[in-house]
Amino acid sequence: CGSEQKALAPLVRKSDSVLMLTNSAPGTIFADSAGKIFMPQYAIEDEARYNATLLNEKGSKRAIVLYIDNEYSRTHEAPFDEVYK
């Protein structure tokens, strides 16, 4: 999730087609594809902020988040860390 979509964005940008993703992707994917990629789900960054907000509201004092070294995890990390206190 993420890496494949980012790789496709320049190809879709040059094509006469649009691409609908059936899973979440980084929010930057839309600009990278000149608006030719869309999805029916929230962007990964929005999902990360939502999850962090939910943990804050539940009063969680500590959270362990496993990030794998790929585009999907890197896109989750910063927005989550911005919101989770």
Side-chain angles (χ1 to χ4, degrees), residues 23-82:
N23 54 357
S24 60
T28 57
I29 200 84
F30 308 107
D32 294 346
S33 70
K36 292 183 176 181
I37 293 180
F38 68 98
M39 64 185 177
Q41 295 184 347
Y42 294 107
I44 294 170
E45 299 90 341
D46 295 334
E47 180 182 314
R49 287 182 192 99
Y50 172 81
N51 290 333
T53 299
L54 188 62
L55 289 174
N56 286 335
E57 289 172 356
K58 290 185 175 285
S60 296
K61 301 292 182 206
R62 290 175 40 157
I64 298 171
V65 182
L66 175 63
Y67 294 116
I68 299 169
D69 189 20
N70 62 23
E71 189 70 30
Y72 182 78
S73 289
R74 285 189 295 273
T75 303
H76 258 278
E77 188 174 8
F80 183 90
D81 290 346
E82 286 171 11

